[in-house]
Amino acid sequence: MSKQHLRNKECEEKLVSKMSNNIAMAGGCGITGLIFAGVMATGVPNQDYLLFANAIRIGFPTIILVYGGIKGIIAKKIFNKIKEIKKNDYLLKNEEVLSEADLENENILENVKDKDKAVIAEIKEEKDNYLGLVTTQEEVKDTSETKGEPLVKK
């Protein structure tokens, strides 16, 4: 994990640059598309070229706005990658503190979601049963199919 994180950390500056370029492009395309949509909506088309004019009125601003939206989505994905790199920085920096955390203390798990608390409970159980030895209850059913053989319930 640490080797992969170091490789990702090297690319962090490039990702920040790409994200800012995509945000600028998305904002520029959004403003330009809205301006073109306003201009195209107010213009009176020539009756001879009505179909062509309507296609341009609808198509040109739509293409610009869709391109801006795509750039915005790309910027959001890059932002998530940067956030993941920063999270891994924090985890590696505070690895000892996080490993020594007392998960039995209710104050530590105060703002943790219920879903995450369930995962933490599973981790605590796995630490107690690190070899995978889990006790099971055995029941013997006397049916003609089992003929008194023990069945294990999990």
Side-chain angles (χ1 to χ4, degrees):
M1 180 180 132
S2 60
K3 290 179 184 179
Q4 180 64 42
H5 176 67
L6 290 175
R7 280 187 249 145
N8 291 341
K9 187 74 174 162
E10 292 173 0
C11 299
E12 185 176 13
E13 290 180 22
K14 291 178 186 177
L15 289 173
V16 169
S17 175
K18 281 183 181 181
M19 184 183 74
S20 61
N21 288 341
N22 281 316
I23 289 173
M25 191 67 119
C29 286
I31 291 170
T32 304
L34 291 175
I35 289 172
F36 275 123
V39 169
M40 298 291 187
T42 59
V44 178
N46 186 347
Q47 294 295 329
D48 296 333
Y49 303 105
L50 187 60
L51 183 63
F52 181 71
N54 286 336
I56 289 177
R57 280 181 163 191
I58 294 169
F60 194 60
T62 303
I63 291 170
I64 294 173
L65 289 171
V66 167
Y67 182 72
I70 291 170
K71 286 294 186 179
I73 292 169
I74 292 170
K76 175 65 177 160
K77 288 186 176 186
I78 293 172
F79 174 75
N80 288 340
K81 288 179 184 178
I82 293 170
K83 199 165 92 173
E84 192 70 25
I85 290 171
K86 291 187 186 282
K87 181 178 80 174
N88 286 332
D89 278 343
Y90 180 80
L91 289 174
L92 290 175
K93 183 179 176 183
N94 298 308
E95 184 176 12
E96 290 179 20
V97 174
L98 293 171
S99 295
E100 294 173 0
D102 180 20
L103 297 178
E104 300 298 328
N105 187 349
E106 290 294 325
N107 292 330
I108 290 179
L109 301 176
E110 185 175 329
N111 290 326
V112 177
K113 297 177 184 173
D114 290 336
K115 180 180 176 184
D116 295 333
K117 284 182 183 178
V119 172
I120 290 171
E122 287 178 14
I123 291 170
K124 285 195 286 188
E125 185 177 321
E126 286 177 8
K127 282 185 179 179
D128 294 339
N129 298 317
Y130 65 94
L131 291 177
L133 302 174
V134 180
T135 58
T136 59
Q137 296 177 354
E138 292 187 12
E139 262 187 28
V140 177
K141 290 187 177 180
D142 290 327
T143 62
S144 61
E145 295 172 2
T146 60
K147 297 183 184 176
E149 297 173 8
L151 297 176
V152 178
K153 280 190 173 181
K154 290 186 181 181

